[in-house]
Amino acid sequence: MTSKFPERSLTRSFKSPRTLFNTAMTVVAFICGVLVLVPLVAVLTYIIIKGFSSLELSVFTELPPPALREGGGFGNAILGTLIMVSIAALISIPFGVLAAIYLTEFSTGKIARVIRFATNVLSGVPSIIAGVFAYGIVVLGLVRLNLGSYSALGGGFALAILMLPIIVKTTDEALQLVSQDLRQASLGLGATNFQTVTQIVLPAALPAIVTGSSLAIARASGETAPLLFTALFSQFWPSGLLKPTPSLAVLVYNFAISPFDNWQSLAWAASLVLVLMVLITSILARWATRQKA
């Protein structure tokens, strides 16, 4: 005797409110995921279309042209960006990693909560405020010492302020994810707390630390407001750390609002180069994470 119970149960399960709700929510989540990608794809497509036509080898090796002259490039802005981001990385990465190590491995609970709260507040500070702060500390400090004013050093310091909370938070989270069993095993074998941190914990968390640092560098590369207050701009090649220094972000800002077609085309090409730099940095961060996995 054949029973129809399984067929009825299967039909009823497909028509149940729970199944229909789950299907509807899956469709909604998929649509939201697609909508999230739409702005990214639209921005990248528009920048590629507008910037690729002006992208030539000369733009990487030549200086910005005068207003009404064709040709030219922004090689000085690329070099200036690399210099200031390097300064920012040299300042923020050591301090950020050491601060996170202190929070995770050596601090008490109350102190750690206070520092983590301050880090969260700093991460929400607008970039222009960081620029004003760096202007008051570095630019005006150099003026008082008769060493200059706007400079790559000031720009790097402002970018370091923006990078610091990102590095502290990502490194702190990476260290917390390292298993306590590794720490206890190291201490049980006679290692000191310092040896455990430097030889066991840090190597285990290194890929995540590299990822956080790469993301911080990617953010700093595209900042404009802090550099307007600290590094300003220059039409020439960078000549020193205490001189006004060009950057891609400021070049895009200056040239995009100009009435000259040649400058506007260079602004689009510089935008594409800047996006590619950020994209490459993000890919390297993802690659480091995948290597860990």
Side-chain angles (χ1 to χ4, degrees):
M1 182 176 179
T2 304
S3 174
K4 295 184 179 181
F5 178 74
E7 182 179 352
R8 292 177 180 176
S9 300
L10 185 61
T11 303
R12 192 181 302 114
S13 65
F14 278 117
K15 295 181 179 180
S16 66
R18 180 179 298 179
T19 303
L20 293 176
F21 180 78
N22 179 69
T23 303
M25 289 298 99
T26 302
V27 173
V28 170
F30 175 77
I31 294 174
C32 292
V34 173
L35 292 177
V36 168
L37 293 177
V38 168
L40 174 63
V41 174
V43 170
L44 290 179
T45 303
Y46 194 71
I47 290 178
I48 290 173
I49 293 174
K50 298 288 289 186
F52 191 77
S53 60
S54 303
L55 200 61
E56 300 176 356
L57 183 61
S58 60
V59 302
F60 298 97
T61 59
E62 297 182 7
L63 295 173
L68 298 177
R69 182 179 299 176
E70 295 295 326
F74 43 80
N76 61 333
I78 296 176
L79 180 59
T81 299
L82 294 176
I83 291 173
M84 287 186 284
V85 171
S86 298
I87 294 173
L90 290 175
I91 296 173
S92 61
I93 292 178
F95 280 100
V97 172
L98 290 175
I101 291 174
Y102 173 76
L103 286 176
T104 307
E105 306 296 333
F106 300 103
S107 68
T108 61
K110 185 175 181 179
I111 296 177
R113 285 194 297 270
V114 172
I115 297 178
R116 289 189 178 105
F117 176 76
T119 302
N120 291 331
V121 173
L122 182 60
S123 64
V125 171
S127 59
I128 193 170
I129 302 302
V132 172
F133 175 75
Y135 174 83
I137 298 297
V138 179
V139 176
L140 296 183
L142 292 176
V143 171
R144 295 188 187 97
L145 296 174
N146 294 323
L147 295 177
S149 56
Y150 300 99
S151 63
L153 184 63
F157 180 78
L159 296 180
I161 296 174
L162 300 176
M163 292 173 59
L164 187 61
I166 300 175
I167 296 173
V168 173
K169 291 173 66 176
T170 54
T171 304
D172 184 24
E173 294 173 359
L175 294 176
Q176 291 184 50
L177 291 176
V178 177
S179 175
Q180 290 293 335
D181 294 339
L182 291 176
R183 295 178 173 87
Q184 293 172 2
S186 176
L187 296 173
L189 292 174
T192 63
N193 197 12
F194 177 79
Q195 291 173 328
T196 300
V197 171
T198 56
Q199 299 180 22
I200 303 297
V201 178
L202 273 181
L206 185 59
I209 295 174
V210 172
T211 300
S213 301
S214 301
L215 295 176
I217 290 173
R219 184 203 170 178
S221 301
E223 290 292 343
T224 305
L227 301 183
L228 291 174
F229 283 93
T230 53
L232 204 58
F233 192 73
S234 172
Q235 295 289 112
F236 308 101
W237 293 100
S239 57
L241 298 181
L242 300 180
K243 301 289 185 180
T245 304
S247 62
L248 283 173
V250 177
L251 181 138
V252 170
Y253 172 77
N254 290 336
F255 283 15
I257 61 177
S258 71
F260 308 109
D261 293 337
N262 184 38
W263 280 12
Q264 291 179 6
S265 64
L266 284 177
W268 284 114
S271 300
L272 179 58
V273 171
L274 188 58
V275 168
L276 291 177
M277 291 174 61
V278 174
L279 180 62
I280 291 173
T281 305
S282 300
I283 291 174
L284 291 176
R286 296 291 299 176
W287 177 81
T289 305
R290 183 173 299 178
Q291 289 296 104
K292 174 62 177 177

